Amino acid sequence: MNQDKILILDFGSQVTQLIARRVREAHVYCELHSFDMPIADIKAFAPKGIILSGGPNSVYESDYQANPEILNLGIPILGICYGMQWLAHTMGGEVSGGDQREFGYAQVHTEDSQFTNGIFDNQLNTLDVWMSHGDKVSKLPAGFKSIGHTPSCPYAIIENPQKHFYGVQFHPEVTHTKQGRELINRFVLDICQAKPSWTMPNYIEEAITKIRQQVGTDEVILGLSGGVDSSVAAALIHRAIGDQLTCVFVDHGLLRYQEAQMVMDMFGKNLGVNVIHVDASVDFLEKLAGETDPERKRKIIGAEFVEVFQHEASKRQNAKWLAQGTIYPDVIESAGAKTKKAHAIKSHHNVGGLPETLNLQLLEPLRDLFKDEVRELGVALGLPRDMVYRHPFPGPGLGVRILGEVKREYTDLLRRADHIFIEELRNTCDEDGLSWYDKTSQAFAVFLPVKSVGVMGDGRTYEYVVALRAVITSDFMTAHWAHLPYDLLGRVSNRIINEVRGINRVVYDVSGKPPATIEWE
């Protein structure tokens, strides 16, 4: 990387990835590594600054200690929550269990300093922040002073201006801390003096160089799903190696409405990419027959994808690489991040390695990018904006939007219901003229394997139920359910019930993430 870099050392916080998001939003490259990253690797990474994340443990637990040598590297350090406590404890201060825990909103009163000067909320020298801690710093180490406090936390912000070490007991990375982004920008851009050169046009050239170095004269097979991630990966790799790339588009019988035709038209006809269309729907549905467990379904679909890719790769003697559109949130949710500290939420079919029998190396050029960065990259590569800003679609497709067993009958019903929902979102605008499809981050229908009684005409019906899901989010790590207009929901419901024979009830999901995930399975 020819970029200035920030290193984030992760102590196991559930929101550490949001620190990376905020740093990237400042157009500075960063990487997230485990708190016990070897000092030699840290030096080789050559960061302009280090951020220590929060975490669930106590600083007195010996298993959660970073190498104190990072304090001697001569670069700025920002400790967040647990990271601040580790910094204070390691440098000779004291940390103790708080008499009063702080979870949620708090107001910090600040003093002017290089870190906080000019950053405040409604009143001068006050910050509205989000706290989440039990332990707290009870005695500052030598060279530190308090520059922010709450009634129950005298050391809410601390600094050692000579060493450029800072600590905050709250979480600036979450949106609940209103000036959190400004505080992170202050540390990254002003204190660390990192150049904001991490942009997608710059990234393209570096990524192309890296792909060419990795691949050489080998051929690459890419699993093209038609979603944003694999599409952008295909465009980037094609820009790098041209005809050495062959895309395999697998129709697993779990695609969206007219998805196969759209993908073949866009990539084969418009972008000049070599795309092979494989109709494997019979094989996928046979393998899924009788399976109801969501994790097993994901693994079956993932294994079958590998089988198809392996078969196609065997036809190409020089094919040595399998490319995938894996992105950073996939890695995090599968607990496959470099830290290995996150709790597994669900498996992703393209995360976790490949079987040895595949005999292909893995090429994942988007693995360290967040979704919004992938979209920016796609636009910079010249992909159509409508395609780049399509709502995300999971690799297992409708297989994880059909609860319980997957049957062809169910896929046909769901595909048509989902198409109606998306069509109405695209055709309905708010008072500012923005379509509800563009206002929402992800929207889809879910097939419920239950039947309900209905009345249509003069007859009784006993047919299936679909749930509509629409969310608004900036990072897909947390999400709010979309407050769609009632008349829009009513229109979608009426169309689905009237046009899709076999469905007689439509419900709307009003769960956020957390506690729910965006997908139902």
Side-chain angles (χ1 to χ4, degrees), residues 151-412:
S152 60
C153 183
Y155 305 125
I157 310 177
I158 62 174
E159 72 167 359
N160 183 323
Q162 285 71 40
K163 290 183 176 292
H164 298 296
F165 291 171
Y166 303 86
V168 293
Q169 187 55 72
F170 53 89
H171 287 269
E173 68 271 30
V174 302
T175 55
H176 303 75
T177 298
K178 297 178 181 178
Q179 300 299 323
R181 182 178 298 182
E182 294 303 317
L183 290 170
I184 291 176
N185 285 355
R186 174 65 55 83
F187 176 74
V188 169
L189 300 176
D190 297 339
I191 294 170
C192 298
Q193 296 187 337
K195 296 183 181 65
S197 58
W198 172 250
T199 62
M200 288 304 102
N202 290 341
Y203 175 74
I204 289 173
E205 297 308 314
E206 292 194 14
I208 286 174
T209 299
K210 184 177 180 181
I211 291 168
R212 288 173 177 167
Q213 290 173 345
Q214 281 184 278
V215 172
T217 59
D218 297 338
E219 291 184 26
V220 176
I221 305 292
L222 181 143
L224 182 63
S225 71
V228 176
D229 305 330
S230 66
S231 298
V232 173
L236 177 62
I237 296 170
H238 186 255
R239 175 80 65 91
I241 61 173
D243 292 341
Q244 291 171 245
L245 170 68
T246 297
C247 292
V248 179
F249 176 67
V250 180
D251 184 348
H252 49 19
L254 306 169
L255 297 171
R256 287 175 286 196
Y257 184 75
Q258 296 184 340
E259 182 91 16
Q261 187 61 50
M262 184 277 292
V263 171
M264 295 303 296
D265 287 346
M266 179 175 300
F267 283 90
K269 296 181 181 179
N270 300 328
L271 298 179
V273 180
N274 181 25
V275 184
I276 297 172
H277 183 191
V278 180
D279 186 352
S281 58
V282 173
D283 293 335
F284 274 84
L285 292 174
E286 284 182 353
K287 293 285 179 63
L288 288 167
E291 186 57 64
T292 60
D293 180 75
E295 275 295 285
R296 283 289 306 144
K297 289 196 295 185
R298 285 178 177 272
K299 293 183 186 301
I300 289 169
I301 292 168
E304 192 64 21
F305 266 118
V306 171
E307 287 290 326
V308 175
F309 296 146
Q310 189 169 19
H311 177 70
E312 293 300 324
S314 68
K315 301 177 184 178
R316 290 160 181 76
Q317 193 171 16
N318 201 34
K320 307 295 184 184
W321 298 83
L322 173 63
Q324 298 186 142
T326 307
I327 66 172
Y328 204 29
D330 297 339
V331 177
I332 293 168
E333 286 205 324
S334 295
K338 297 170 184 175
T339 65
K340 304 297 182 185
K341 305 302 179 207
H343 291 283
I345 299 172
K346 59 188 176 185
S347 297
H348 289 263
H349 76 280
N350 57 345
V351 177
L354 299 168
E356 294 181 3
T357 56
L358 189 58
N359 297 319
L360 293 175
Q361 300 179 74
L362 195 57
L363 181 65
E364 296 176 314
L366 311 181
R367 186 180 177 90
D368 291 323
L369 300 185
F370 288 97
K371 178 69 75 173
D372 55 340
E373 293 175 318
V374 173
R375 295 189 194 280
E376 289 178 31
L377 177 60
V379 172
L381 286 167
L383 291 175
R385 185 176 179 85
D386 285 349
M387 189 278 289
V388 171
Y389 283 89
R390 289 182 78 199
H391 288 183
F393 188 62
L398 301 182
V400 292
R401 292 180 178 174
I402 295 172
L403 304 194
E405 184 180 4
V406 177
K407 297 181 180 181
R408 188 176 293 277
E409 174 196 1
Y410 299 166
T411 65
D412 292 341

Side-chain angles (χ1 to χ4, degrees), residues 131-166:
M131 290 279 193
S132 180
H133 70 99
D135 291 355
K136 64 182 179 182
V137 175
S138 54
K139 179 183 176 182
L140 291 179
F144 279 82
K145 64 178 180 178
S146 175
I147 55 172
H149 67 276
T150 72
S152 60
C153 183
Y155 305 125
I157 310 177
I158 62 174
E159 72 167 359
N160 183 323
Q162 285 71 40
K163 290 183 176 292
H164 298 296
F165 291 171
Y166 303 86

